[in-house]
Amino acid sequence: MASANYSISTPSFLPSHKQGNLNGAGRKIDQLQIAQKMRQSNRRFAIRANAKDIAFDQRSRAAMQAGIDKLADVVGLTLGPRGRNVVLDEYGSPKVVNDGVTIARAIELPDAMENAGAALIREVASRTNDSAGDGTTTASVLAREIIKLGLLSVTSGANPVALKKGIDKTVLGLVEELGKRARPVKGRDDIKAIASISAGNDDVIGTMIADAIDKVGPDGVLSIESSSSFETTVDVEEGMEIDRGYVSPQFVTNPEKLLVEFENARVLVTDQKISSIKDIISLLEQTAQLRAPLLIIAEDITGEALATLVVNKLRGIINVAAIKAPGFGERRKALLQDIAIVTGAEYLASDMGLRVENATVEQLGTARKITISKDSTTIIADSATKDEIQSRIAQIKKELSETDSVYDTEKLAERIAKLSGGIAVIKVGAATETELEDRKLRIEDAKNATFAAIEEGIVPGGGAAFVHLSMLVSAIKDKLEDADERLGADIIQKALVAPASLIAQNAGVEGEVVVEKVKESEWDMGYNAMTDTYENLVESGVIDPAKVTRCGLQNAASVAGMVLTTQAIVVEKAKPKARVGGAPQGLTV
C-alpha cells in the first residue's frame, strides 16, 4: 500500500523573480517592490447601508402610539380574574396563553414605525418579568396610559423634559408610600392567596405552591418541569445536592440501586488533585481507626490514589467514596466553601497552602447522611452547623442583591437553596401539549409572585392599590413648582386607575364607576371582580405582591418618559416586493 506524506502548507508572500529581487545568501525581499505590488492588488470594499424612513413630530408620535395601542389592547384582554386567553400561532401546535409577557414577545407588527412602539411595551413587560416575575400585563397597561396622556400634553405644547421630571418625582414619592403601606406575608394563607390570584384564580395551583414553600422554606428553590402523567405533583429533595457522582462504581454500597449510602460519615473537601498514595495514606489510617465512612471531594482522584481507595473499600478495611468537585473556576471554589460550611469541614485550598497529605481528622466535616448515585450526590447536614449555614446564606443574599446578571442570580439562588436544604420540583401534568404550556406559565407566575411577596410584602389586589396611590398624588404635586412637572404628576394620577378600570371592563362592569367607588374607600378595600362585590380585599385573599406593583409602576414610567422625550423615529425603509413574472407563453399551466 502506497504511503502518503501530509504536510501543512502556509501562505507565502515571496514574489516571483520578475516581481522582486532575491538575495541568494540571505533570501531577502525587496520591500519596496512588495509594497508596490500590494498597492496594485489592493481591492476596495464599499459598505452600503439600506435606505431609512424618517418621521418627525406628530407623525412619529402617532405611529408609535398606534403600535403601543395594538400590543396593549391584546395584552390587556388577559387582565383580571375574568380576563380571556389569547391564541398564539407559533411553530407546531398553537399556544393558548394568559401570560402578558409571552403574548408581548410574540407580537411583531408589519409597519416598522408601529413595531418600534410595540417594542417599547415589550421592553416594559420583559423588564417587569425579569425583576418581579409577574405583573407584566399591569405594567403594559400602565405604560400605554402614561404614554397616551403624556403625548396629548406634548402635542398641546408642554415641555416633554419637564413632564418626564414630574413623572419621575411622582413615581419616586409613590414608591416610598407603597413601601410604608405594604404589610409582610403572614403564614400559609397569604402565600396560597398570592399564588392563586397570580395563576388566574386557580386554588389548586395556590395550594400546591403553599405546600412547596412549607417544605422548602422561603429560601428554597421551586423548579418547574413537565410531567409524563396527567397529574401535577410536588416532589421535595432534602439536603444539599451536588451534580457529581462517584468516580468509580466499585464504591457502591447498595448494589440493587447502584448507590453509595453513608450515615454519620466524615467529609474531606479540597480543590487539589489527588493522584499519589502518600497524599491520602495518613488520612486513611486515621479514619480507619474511627470506624466511620469517608467521602472525599477533590478536583480529581486518579492513578494509584484511586486504586488504593478501591482496594481498601473492597477488602472492607475502610468504607470510602470519592467524587469530583462541582462547578468550574471561581464558582467551584465558592461551591466547595459551601460544602465545607454545611459539613463543618475545613476547606483545604491550595492557594492557602493547606495540603491534603498534612490533613488530620479534625479538619474533616461530618454529615448525618450521604447518598451518591452515578451522577449526583446528596448531603444531609448535621444540625450542629446551622448557625454557620445561616451566616453563609446571609452573605450570598448580599451578593444576590448587588448582581444584575440573570445567570449569576440563578446560580446564587441555587446556592442559597442548597445551603438551606430545600429544592421542590413541581411536575406539571396536562391532557394536551397546549394545556401543559398554559399551566406551566401560570405556575411560573404564581411562583415568582409568591417569592416577590415574601421579599417586600403585600398590598390590596385588583388594581385597588394603584387607585389608592392615585389619591396620594395631590400631596406630591403640591411640592412641585414647575407647571409642566405638575402636569406630569397629573398624568400619573390619571394613569394609575387604568388597571382597575380594565379589570372591571373585562368582568363586564363599567370601569369608571368601579374606580370612583374604590377611591372613596379605605386602603384595604376594593372591587373583587370574581364575586362582583366591594370588600376588604386583604381579608378575602385578593392581594398582590408589593414588589410586583412597584416594579410595574417604575418600569412603565421609565419607558413612558423615554417615549415622551422622542421627537423623531428612524426605521428601515420597506423594500418593494419583486413582481412575480407570468407563465411563459406557449406552455400550458
Side-chain angles (χ1 to χ4, degrees), residues 336-411:
L336 286 173
Q337 286 171 352
D338 290 348
I339 295 166
I341 286 167
V342 165
T343 58
E346 187 175 340
Y347 173 42
L348 303 179
S350 53
D351 53 6
M352 293 170 64
L354 298 171
R355 308 297 302 171
V356 176
E357 60 202 53
N358 301 326
T360 61
V361 287
E362 286 76 22
Q363 293 174 303
L364 300 180
T366 55
R368 184 157 51 85
K369 187 177 180 184
I370 295 173
T371 306
I372 310 171
S373 68
K374 64 181 177 65
D375 48 22
S376 68
T377 300
T378 304
I379 300 172
I380 298 175
D382 196 9
S383 57
T385 58
K386 288 291 180 189
D387 292 338
E388 289 89 340
I389 291 171
Q390 288 306 317
S391 61
R392 181 68 168 177
I393 288 172
Q395 181 187 338
I396 298 172
K397 278 184 177 176
K398 189 172 184 300
E399 285 182 47
L400 188 61
S401 65
E402 291 172 357
T403 184
D404 55 359
S405 163
V406 176
Y407 177 80
D408 287 346
T409 302
E410 284 180 10
K411 294 304 174 187

Side-chain angles (χ1 to χ4, degrees), residues 85-88 94-98 434-435 437-438 441:
N85 293 335
V86 174
V87 178
L88 302 180
K95 282 184 182 178
V96 181
V97 295
N98 190 265
T434 305
E435 186 189 357
E437 285 296 323
D438 181 48
L441 287 171

Side-chain angles (χ1 to χ4, degrees), residues 400-544:
L400 188 61
S401 65
E402 291 172 357
T403 184
D404 55 359
S405 163
V406 176
Y407 177 80
D408 287 346
T409 302
E410 284 180 10
K411 294 304 174 187
L412 289 169
E414 276 180 24
R415 283 177 58 197
I416 291 171
K418 285 176 178 178
L419 283 168
S420 59
I423 297 177
V425 180
I426 300 174
K427 295 188 175 176
V428 185
T432 63
E433 189 69 28
T434 305
E435 186 189 357
L436 178 67
E437 285 296 323
D438 181 48
R439 280 184 73 81
K440 282 176 79 173
L441 287 171
R442 286 174 185 267
I443 292 172
E444 185 74 35
D445 278 352
K447 178 195 86 168
N448 292 333
T450 303
F451 282 114
I454 290 169
E455 193 175 335
E456 291 188 20
I458 55 174
V459 293
F466 286 119
V467 175
H468 293 311
L469 284 175
S470 73
M471 302 299 291
L472 306 174
V473 172
S474 299
I476 299 169
K477 182 182 169 184
D478 292 340
K479 297 175 185 176
L480 303 177
E481 296 177 1
D482 187 272
D484 285 340
E485 286 187 12
R486 292 163 69 88
L487 199 56
D490 286 336
I491 288 167
I492 292 293
Q493 188 170 27
K494 291 174 185 174
L496 283 171
V497 303
S501 178
L502 187 55
I503 286 170
Q505 285 174 27
N506 286 344
V509 182
E510 186 61 45
E512 290 181 8
V513 174
V514 169
V515 167
E516 288 305 316
K517 283 192 178 181
V518 174
K519 279 182 178 178
E520 296 167 3
S521 58
E522 297 295 321
W523 173 259
D524 287 348
M525 301 294 288
Y527 174 67
N528 186 343
M530 198 67 188
T531 58
D532 193 24
T533 55
Y534 296 90
E535 58 188 353
N536 188 315
L537 297 180
V538 176
E539 286 181 4
S540 59
V542 182
I543 47 182
D544 283 340

Side-chain angles (χ1 to χ4, degrees), residues 23 40 60 108 173 183 186 256 260 338 366 383 411 421 432 507:
N23 188 322
Q40 289 172 10
S60 69
E108 285 284 338
R183 77 164 178 82
K186 295 177 182 175
E256 290 180 9
V260 178
D338 290 348
T366 55
S383 57
K411 294 304 174 187
T432 63

Side-chain angles (χ1 to χ4, degrees), residues 99-427:
D99 183 48
V101 70
T102 307
I103 297 164
R105 285 171 179 166
I107 293 175
E108 285 284 338
L109 301 178
D111 185 283
M113 290 189 185
E114 289 186 4
N115 195 52
L120 293 166
I121 300 296
R122 276 201 297 273
E123 174 76 4
V124 172
S126 294
R127 279 181 176 237
T128 307
N129 187 60
D130 291 344
S131 53
D134 194 23
T136 54
T137 304
T138 304
S140 302
V141 170
L142 265 178
R144 187 261 293 270
E145 205 65 22
I146 297 171
I147 291 167
K148 186 171 79 174
L149 295 168
L151 288 179
L152 280 173
S153 299
V154 171
T155 307
S156 303
N159 180 354
V161 176
L163 272 182
K164 183 180 184 304
K165 281 184 180 177
I167 288 171
D168 290 344
K169 288 176 182 177
T170 307
V171 167
L172 190 64
L174 291 176
V175 166
E176 284 180 15
E177 198 62 40
L178 187 71
K180 292 175 188 173
R181 293 176 180 247
R183 77 164 178 82
V185 171
K186 295 177 182 175
R188 176 190 164 86
D189 289 342
D190 281 353
I191 290 174
K192 181 185 172 185
I194 281 282
S196 299
I197 293 291
S198 185
N201 279 65
D202 192 326
D203 286 338
V204 175
I205 291 175
T207 305
M208 196 178 302
I209 296 286
D211 288 342
I213 296 288
D214 275 350
K215 291 173 181 174
V216 301
D219 291 326
V221 164
L222 300 188
S223 175
I224 298 167
E225 297 177 2
S226 299
S227 172
S228 54
S229 67
F230 292 163
E231 294 182 358
T232 302
T233 57
V234 180
D235 297 334
V236 177
E237 298 168 0
E238 188 186 8
M240 183 178 194
E241 187 169 346
I242 305 164
D243 56 352
R244 291 286 188 273
Y246 42 69
V247 294
S248 170
Q250 302 295 341
F251 294 134
V252 167
T253 59
N254 186 337
E256 290 180 9
K257 297 181 180 178
L258 289 175
L259 296 176
V260 178
E261 294 175 334
F262 289 160
E263 289 190 4
N264 300 319
R266 296 303 178 101
V267 183
L268 170 70
V269 183
T270 181
D271 63 350
Q272 300 161 37
K273 287 185 179 179
I274 302 174
S275 56
S276 173
I277 295 176
K278 67 180 179 64
D279 291 342
I280 55 168
I281 193 68
S282 172
L283 190 63
L284 291 177
E285 287 172 353
Q286 294 176 62
T287 313
Q289 292 172 4
L290 295 173
R291 297 192 177 281
L294 174 66
L295 171 64
I296 298 174
I297 303 173
E299 185 178 335
D300 202 0
I301 301 163
T302 56
E304 57 185 18
L306 179 60
T308 303
L309 293 178
V310 170
V311 168
N312 282 280
K313 160 70 175 63
L314 294 176
R315 288 180 179 175
I317 296 170
I318 183 170
N319 214 357
V320 68
I323 66 170
K324 291 183 180 180
F328 303 94
E330 287 301 314
R331 189 167 161 263
R332 170 175 285 177
K333 289 183 179 180
L335 287 170
L336 286 173
Q337 286 171 352
D338 290 348
I339 295 166
I341 286 167
V342 165
T343 58
E346 187 175 340
Y347 173 42
L348 303 179
S350 53
D351 53 6
M352 293 170 64
L354 298 171
R355 308 297 302 171
V356 176
E357 60 202 53
N358 301 326
T360 61
V361 287
E362 286 76 22
Q363 293 174 303
L364 300 180
T366 55
R368 184 157 51 85
K369 187 177 180 184
I370 295 173
T371 306
I372 310 171
S373 68
K374 64 181 177 65
D375 48 22
S376 68
T377 300
T378 304
I379 300 172
I380 298 175
D382 196 9
S383 57
T385 58
K386 288 291 180 189
D387 292 338
E388 289 89 340
I389 291 171
Q390 288 306 317
S391 61
R392 181 68 168 177
I393 288 172
Q395 181 187 338
I396 298 172
K397 278 184 177 176
K398 189 172 184 300
E399 285 182 47
L400 188 61
S401 65
E402 291 172 357
T403 184
D404 55 359
S405 163
V406 176
Y407 177 80
D408 287 346
T409 302
E410 284 180 10
K411 294 304 174 187
L412 289 169
E414 276 180 24
R415 283 177 58 197
I416 291 171
K418 285 176 178 178
L419 283 168
S420 59
I423 297 177
V425 180
I426 300 174
K427 295 188 175 176

